[in-house]
Amino acid sequence: DMDMDMDMDSMMLTLSCVCRGLGEAFRYRANESTNLYDIPHHDPTLCGKGTIPWTSSTEVLAVLHQQLEKIQLFGDSVLSSSSNYEQDKLALKRLVEDASVSLLAGYHDHFRCDPQNEEIARLYDEAKRLAIPLLRTSYVNEDGDDIQALEMSLKHSCFEGIVQICHDHRRSWKFCGPFSPVPPDETYDIRLMLSGTSPESPYVHLHGSTDYRTGLPFCDFVLNWYADRGSNTEVLELGKECSEALTRFLRNDNRLGDLAWIHDLRIGAHERAADTLVNLTSSIFRGKDAGAPMDLWENEQVMSLAKLSNKLARSKNPDSALVARNSTIIENSLNLVEAQRILQEDDLDGDGSEAILPPDELIVLAVNKINSSRDVENIKKYGLCGLAIAHATSSEDAIAMIH
């Protein structure tokens, strides 16, 4: 315990000295940044060899990173055993804030001047993943609002920090209903960040950045983040703010492939929506890896949606070969559902939950019904069902069985 206390004291002293020196340098730089006669002051946006200030030197940044890592490991345990908790917590809070801001600003200077440098990009990413969570700790973020952590995440395009903080505070910005007296808090509203692509938006810089580890742009990162956590509803809802990104995501990621038609309908891509719905009932999507086959009710609902979407697609493009093909598939599928209902009307429970039968089994069922029935009207009914099944499958063997 004594060794830990001594190590913590030395760490606090080291970090305090570094931060005090950096603070004095920043103040001096700010005071001396005015123009002297007609000579302009140093423009920090201009990069070149030797233009990075000593406050952003690799040596200084290495010290800051090392000290913050120690605080990450021992900060909570040291404070819990402190004899002067409030004073030590305040001191630690200020040091973490100053060191985090300086560390991120320093790597931002390097990255701005040499964005293609892989080592700088890696160190900058590590600094973000170290500093942002520390700014969210209880001894720094006393009010639990994460404002400073969010500001740093936005300033340095730390996508992981932005999404996590906005998600944790989602109750403050999600729509609470038209009669709610509480307006949404736009501070944490990630929808504004996703749609903020105009030059006037404070979030436009996010859309010119990519995440170091995934290589994803901001909108794609957010959608992927929620998809990784199985929050499909959030993916589709947030995707309203970045339609192109959601279209790209749904095309390239199979996890939400069976929901792509929802977005297609939203953006008026009716032909693609109908094709997606038709494919949902095919063996490609309903194989062993897709779980149980569709039941009658589900198949009917999906094909009914496909029929409506395909009609809208036909009104836009009446000569489309895909629309014509899907129209035939949809009608045949709905006819097979109706035929199975009639053939199993005495066996069904009435909820349509029975698994849909393949056409060859339906033909056998129709033949058995015809052979076992003594009622002429029922024989006609079952015969018509069999012919409808044979027509839907275009099977000569099926037609021969009926005859």
Side-chain angles (χ1 to χ4, degrees):
D1 293 340
M2 185 177 296
D3 291 340
M4 180 179 289
D5 290 340
M6 292 178 62
D7 185 65
M8 189 65 181
D9 289 341
S10 63
M11 179 195 68
M12 295 280 283
L13 180 60
T14 301
L15 193 55
S16 177
C17 292
V18 172
C19 289
R20 183 175 300 176
L22 292 174
E24 292 296 330
F26 292 147
R27 277 190 288 274
Y28 176 83
R29 193 177 301 153
N31 294 335
E32 299 298 322
S33 63
T34 55
N35 292 351
L36 179 63
Y37 300 108
D38 59 344
I39 302 175
H41 68 277
H42 170 68
D43 186 353
T45 63
L46 299 177
C47 292
K49 186 177 181 180
T51 59
I52 295 177
W54 71 265
T55 50
S56 298
S57 67
T58 54
E59 293 81 6
V60 170
L61 297 180
V63 171
L64 290 173
H65 195 282
Q66 183 185 52
Q67 301 307 306
L68 285 176
E69 281 185 329
K70 288 187 177 181
I71 291 178
Q72 184 185 51
L73 292 173
F74 305 116
D76 287 319
S77 60
V78 169
L79 279 179
S80 64
S81 59
S82 172
S83 59
N84 196 341
Y85 179 81
E86 291 300 327
Q87 182 178 338
D88 287 346
K89 184 176 76 170
L90 180 61
L92 190 59
K93 175 180 185 294
R94 290 173 177 171
L95 289 176
V96 169
E97 290 174 340
D98 292 345
S100 297
V101 170
S102 299
L103 180 67
L104 294 175
Y107 278 118
H108 180 264
D109 287 342
H110 285 275
F111 186 74
R112 176 172 47 83
C113 291
D114 192 5
Q116 304 303 319
N117 189 312
E118 176 65 22
E119 181 64 12
I120 291 297
R122 182 185 66 80
L123 292 173
Y124 192 16
D125 179 71
E126 289 182 359
K128 296 176 190 178
R129 294 176 181 272
L130 172 64
I132 302 300
L134 277 174
L135 292 173
R136 301 192 68 192
T137 54
S138 58
Y139 50 83
V140 177
N141 183 40
E142 294 179 278
D143 298 329
D145 55 15
D146 292 312
I147 291 297
Q148 188 171 17
L150 180 58
E151 289 177 351
M152 288 294 101
S153 296
L154 290 169
K155 182 176 181 179
H156 296 279
S157 298
C158 180
F159 297 167
E160 179 71 31
I162 294 170
V163 184
Q164 186 66 66
I165 293 170
C166 290
H167 177 75
D168 292 344
H169 292 271
R170 63 193 180 281
R171 292 184 180 276
S172 68
W173 59 263
K174 276 203 166 185
F175 182 64
C176 299
F179 305 108
S180 173
V182 182
D185 187 346
E186 295 184 351
T187 304
Y188 309 99
D189 195 342
I190 200 170
R191 296 171 299 182
L192 300 178
M193 303 171 194
L194 289 168
S195 61
T197 56
S198 65
E200 300 81 21
S201 172
Y203 308 117
V204 66
H205 67 284
L206 297 176
H207 299 273
S209 307
T210 56
D211 177 64
Y212 171 75
R213 299 197 178 186
T214 64
L216 295 173
F218 179 61
C219 292
D220 297 65
F221 181 92
V222 174
L223 299 178
N224 191 72
W225 192 92
Y226 276 101
D228 285 343
R229 288 153 182 79
S231 301
N232 296 346
T233 302
E234 298 290 352
V235 174
L236 293 173
E237 284 300 307
L238 295 177
K240 293 178 181 178
E241 311 300 329
C242 48
S243 180
E244 291 184 5
L246 180 57
T247 299
R248 183 170 58 249
F249 179 81
L250 293 173
R251 286 179 181 176
N252 299 328
D253 196 305
N254 293 330
R255 288 176 293 181
L256 274 73
D258 58 345
L259 300 176
W261 61 272
I262 298 175
H263 178 61
D264 289 335
L265 289 179
R266 282 176 180 169
I267 63 177
H270 298 109
E271 184 172 325
R272 192 165 65 219
D275 193 52
T276 300
L277 286 164
V278 167
N279 287 332
L280 282 177
T281 64
S282 71
S283 58
I284 296 175
F285 287 87
R286 288 286 162 178
K288 294 180 179 179
D289 294 335
M294 281 188 177
D295 56 40
L296 280 178
W297 181 88
E298 188 178 9
N299 187 283
E300 184 178 37
Q301 296 304 308
V302 169
M303 280 302 176
S304 296
L305 286 170
K307 185 174 183 177
L308 292 173
S309 185
N310 208 51
K311 283 187 174 182
L312 291 171
R314 186 185 292 279
S315 67
K316 297 178 182 177
N317 188 7
D319 299 323
S320 170
L322 180 60
V323 170
R325 182 186 72 88
N326 283 335
S327 179
T328 301
I329 294 174
I330 292 166
E331 291 302 324
N332 288 339
S333 181
L334 290 173
N335 287 338
L336 289 173
V337 169
E338 183 60 24
Q340 181 173 339
R341 280 221 171 93
I342 293 173
L343 293 171
Q344 291 184 323
E345 60 186 352
D346 297 331
D347 306 325
L348 293 177
D349 296 329
D351 60 359
S353 61
E354 282 68 14
I356 193 164
L357 298 176
D360 56 343
E361 292 185 23
L362 284 178
I363 288 292
V364 173
L365 180 60
V367 172
N368 291 338
K369 286 283 188 178
I370 293 172
N371 292 334
S372 62
S373 178
R374 296 294 179 264
D375 185 277
V376 175
E377 293 302 319
N378 282 340
I379 292 174
K380 289 180 180 178
K381 179 172 62 175
Y382 298 144
L384 289 174
C385 284
L387 290 173
I389 297 166
H391 175 74
T393 58
S394 300
S395 169
E396 294 182 3
D397 292 338
I399 295 174
M401 289 178 68
I402 294 296
H403 289 297

